[in-house]
Amino acid sequence: MNDVDARMDRLRRAARYRYQQLVESEIERGSLDPDEVREERRLLKAADVAAHARAQIAEAERRGVFEGNPYHGKPLPGIDGQHDPDWWIKSKIEREDIRGIAPPALALRTEDAELDEHLDALSVESDVRDVLVDFNARVKEARRQLLGGPPVVTPMRDVEAEVQAWRERRQVRMAAAARAAEQALADARPRRWWRRRA
């Protein structure tokens, strides 16, 4: 703390002491209500705390503490003015990509969005059918349960149509892979630098 800050601190304390003396003398005379004085003191303390916080922030800015901070001078993300008591668990679930704890309606909706990609990773048609039958059974079971939460709006999948679509996507992938292999083989052949004379 430098000399200027020390002097300002002494002046604040002296002003507070003088103010308390004046208020106490007014209370003794009966011209001030003690409840109003308590409320005013509380407000003054809050103002002092705010002033102290602003001073600390200004001091930290002078020292360069906030340099390199991506949120310096910007609002913090996730603060939209509404208080959410579960903000920390929601951010943890999103950050850690935790799955399986959502209500069935939300879990099935997410699974439905990723189902085609999951099916494309399978190589046997019977496995594709098994996954689709299991998915449809879980959708049906979720619709029957009355546990609360959001309604289940995920549609059931037509097994035959999905298997046919899987076959078509697989044929396209295999044709693309064959073309890529042929191109790689053609690029790998050594080229002769001389030409035969005809």
Side-chain angles (χ1 to χ4, degrees):
M1 188 180 283
N2 58 27
D3 291 337
V4 174
D5 290 340
R7 257 186 267 137
M8 290 300 290
D9 189 47
R10 281 196 303 270
L11 284 172
R12 273 191 217 105
R13 280 189 278 148
R16 247 185 255 129
Y17 178 72
R18 179 68 183 137
Y19 174 76
Q20 284 176 339
Q21 285 180 333
L22 289 173
V23 167
E24 287 171 6
S25 67
E26 292 296 319
I27 289 174
E28 286 175 7
R29 279 194 230 158
S31 61
L32 283 178
D33 181 24
D35 293 334
E36 289 177 10
V37 170
R38 268 191 234 106
E39 180 63 19
E40 191 173 334
R41 282 183 183 166
R42 186 186 67 77
L43 292 174
L44 282 174
K45 284 181 183 176
D48 281 349
V49 168
H52 178 69
R54 281 192 296 275
Q56 292 293 321
I57 290 170
E59 176 63 29
E61 284 179 338
R62 277 194 298 264
R63 288 189 319 228
V65 171
F66 298 121
E67 288 182 19
N69 185 342
Y71 301 116
H72 179 62
K74 299 177 186 171
L76 294 175
I79 299 178
D80 57 358
Q82 298 176 348
H83 175 67
D84 182 10
D86 298 327
W87 65 270
W88 63 274
I89 191 67
K90 289 178 183 174
S91 64
K92 174 83 171 169
I93 289 170
E94 184 178 320
R95 190 173 55 249
E96 303 285 332
D97 194 25
I98 299 172
R99 297 173 186 236
I101 59 172
L106 300 179
L108 286 170
R109 202 176 307 166
T110 304
E111 187 178 347
D112 183 46
E114 299 169 353
L115 190 59
D116 288 340
E117 189 177 314
H118 178 65
L119 294 176
D120 289 344
L122 301 174
S123 58
V124 180
E125 187 176 320
S126 62
D127 291 343
V128 173
R129 286 182 186 281
D130 291 343
V131 167
L132 289 167
V133 167
D134 177 58
F135 177 77
N136 285 342
R138 286 186 287 116
V139 169
K140 194 181 293 183
E141 184 62 30
R143 286 180 181 169
R144 283 188 198 143
Q145 292 182 0
L146 301 173
L147 299 177
V152 178
V153 295
T154 306
M156 293 174 59
R157 299 282 187 112
D158 181 8
V159 176
E160 293 306 320
E162 291 294 330
V163 168
Q164 182 61 33
W166 171 80
R167 278 191 209 121
E168 292 168 4
R169 289 192 307 265
R170 186 166 189 237
Q171 286 174 354
V172 169
R173 279 196 319 274
M174 290 176 76
R179 280 193 303 274
E182 287 174 8
Q183 184 64 36
L185 186 60
D187 291 343
R189 283 193 202 128
R191 296 186 182 187
R192 295 183 181 165
W193 55 274
W194 73 90
R195 290 188 178 193
R196 218 179 207 173
R197 285 191 176 178

